[in-house]
Amino acid sequence: MSISPVVAEVDFGQPGRQLGQLRVPQSRDDSGWGTILVPILVIAGGSGPTVLLTAGNHGDEYEGQVALLDLARTLREEEVQGRVILLPAMHYPACVAGRRLSPLDGRDFNRCFPGDPFGGFALSLAHFVDSVLLPLCDFQMDLHSGGTGMDILPSAVGHVLDDPDMQARTLAMADAFGAPTTLLLREVNAGPTLLAAAERRGIVALSSELGGGGRLNPDNLAITKRGARNVLHHAGVLEGPPQPGAYGAAQRMTVPDLAHYVFAPCDGIWEAADPLGRAVSSGNPAGLLHRIEALGEPPIELWYAATGVLWCVRHAGRVKAGDPVAVIARPL
Ligand SMILES: [Zn+2]
């Protein structure tokens, strides 16, 4: 018996196609028993594994949201062997606002896991996803892009894991997704993410990065639509093998440590030396940080401390001290 205050208006044990909502409490001045409705689709049939596909963890990342809306329209009950659970706009208030953080309380939903049933909207929803949905799952993928702040090469992303068996299974699912890059990431503050919550429960789990800049990139949307179905093929929920992109098999890369990040040491305006995807070398200039307060002084030059491909670049021009402005990936 879950202590979650979230009510699922679908029955996860029932076969067939169910469109419904998660009813998440959100008290307001004019509605003490108010709830926010988070759209959910469950399709179950035959026997097979359960796959949870989520998007809209961050509201300003659009490829995943649109790809799962497309899958919700096109996935037919009779082709499913097992169970598919779709949450295309998981952190619904942030999705409606087109923002990374919640307009309700400023929370980053992907820093809310494993959640708290009585902690307010984001924490109680995270607790429901962790304690009710994840235990149903064999596979999970949470679709992200770079959002307003970053622009990132289209990639299926898994964490660097200690367990070699789980690492191999994660890599296999990432390759099956079929983005141009399969990437193993050492993430800043991974612990409270949905991906880490799924890993703690022994679920084969992926995230992604599929562009960014706060826009919907059509090429990356095509990768995401194909990738979402490819995950279902890989899991055995859909018949047949995953379909690779025209660019062929995914190239395996890694961001193994924080030395592969370039962080801004102070506030300023970032002038990058290189575009996304360029080969870069340790010791070469990464760009200039311009300080509007330092009239008459030269800009601060930043340098790469790793060699590889520029996998992620800062999109927004203005940065704060401690923000990453570049992330380098190297071949795995
Ligand atoms: Zn994100």
Side-chain angles (χ1 to χ4, degrees):
M1 184 69 184
S2 173
I3 57 170
S4 175
V6 177
V7 174
E9 298 194 327
V10 289
D11 180 348
F12 295 105
Q14 188 180 308
R17 176 188 177 88
Q18 301 173 73
L19 278 165
Q21 289 103 24
L22 303 178
R23 189 176 287 282
V24 187
Q26 174 61 29
S27 187
R28 307 194 311 269
D29 280 339
D30 62 342
S31 185
W33 291 334
T35 59
I36 290 176
L37 304 176
V38 178
I40 187 169
L41 173 69
V42 184
I43 301 182
S47 63
T50 294
V51 181
L52 171 64
L53 297 176
T54 55
N57 185 326
H58 295 132
D60 61 346
E61 302 173 8
Y62 300 109
E63 286 80 1
Q65 295 182 50
V66 174
L68 293 192
L69 288 173
D70 181 75
L71 188 61
R73 280 192 304 272
T74 58
L75 185 63
R76 290 178 291 115
E77 181 184 334
E78 53 272 23
E79 61 181 338
V80 169
Q81 286 293 318
R83 181 168 47 185
V84 179
I85 304 171
L86 299 184
L87 283 168
M90 182 163 52
H91 195 197
Y92 184 75
C95 293
V96 170
R99 290 174 52 184
R100 177 182 180 86
L101 306 179
S102 173
L104 300 176
D105 56 11
R107 285 189 189 278
D108 182 333
F109 189 63
N110 213 26
R111 305 292 181 270
C112 286
F113 289 85
D116 172 355
F118 311 121
F121 179 88
L123 287 167
S124 61
L125 179 59
H127 174 266
F128 178 86
V129 171
D130 181 64
S131 66
V132 177
L133 295 188
L134 288 183
L136 302 174
C137 294
D138 302 286
F139 301 90
Q140 192 271 336
M141 185 162 188
D142 187 30
L143 293 161
H144 288 257
S145 299
T148 307
M150 310 298 276
D151 205 5
I152 310 182
L153 291 178
S155 312
V157 178
H159 281 149
V160 177
L161 301 175
D162 294 331
D163 179 340
D165 178 57
M166 282 304 285
Q167 189 78 94
R169 294 171 69 192
T170 302
L171 277 168
M173 182 159 123
D175 287 345
F177 180 83
T181 299
T182 279
L183 187 115
L184 292 185
L185 179 66
R186 186 77 70 181
E187 191 173 4
V188 175
N189 194 19
T193 64
L194 172 53
L195 184 56
E199 290 159 1
R200 283 193 289 271
R201 292 187 177 275
I203 297 163
V204 185
L206 284 181
S207 177
S208 67
E209 297 296 350
L210 297 154
R215 70 189 182 280
L216 178 71
N217 178 306
D219 291 340
N220 293 345
L221 176 60
I223 292 168
T224 315
K225 284 182 178 178
R226 190 178 59 247
R229 278 192 169 263
N230 278 345
V231 167
L232 300 181
H233 284 292
H234 176 75
V237 167
L238 293 179
E239 265 190 21
Q243 302 296 312
Y247 40 78
Q251 187 182 5
R252 288 184 171 182
M253 310 282 287
T254 184
V255 178
D257 55 44
L258 294 190
H260 286 66
Y261 291 68
V262 179
F263 289 98
C266 60
D267 292 11
I269 301 168
W270 177 238
E271 178 189 349
D274 298 299
L276 187 66
R278 179 171 286 176
V280 299
S281 297
S282 178
N284 283 0
L288 300 172
L289 192 55
H290 300 273
R291 293 169 299 155
I292 56 176
E293 303 80 5
L295 212 60
E297 292 179 28
I300 294 173
E301 195 163 17
L302 302 185
W303 307 80
Y304 299 118
T307 295
V309 170
L310 204 49
W311 177 68
C312 166
V313 296
R314 177 79 184 169
H315 179 78
R318 184 83 197 165
V319 300
K320 287 190 163 55
D323 286 345
V325 292
V327 183
I328 297 162
R330 63 171 171 77
L332 186 64

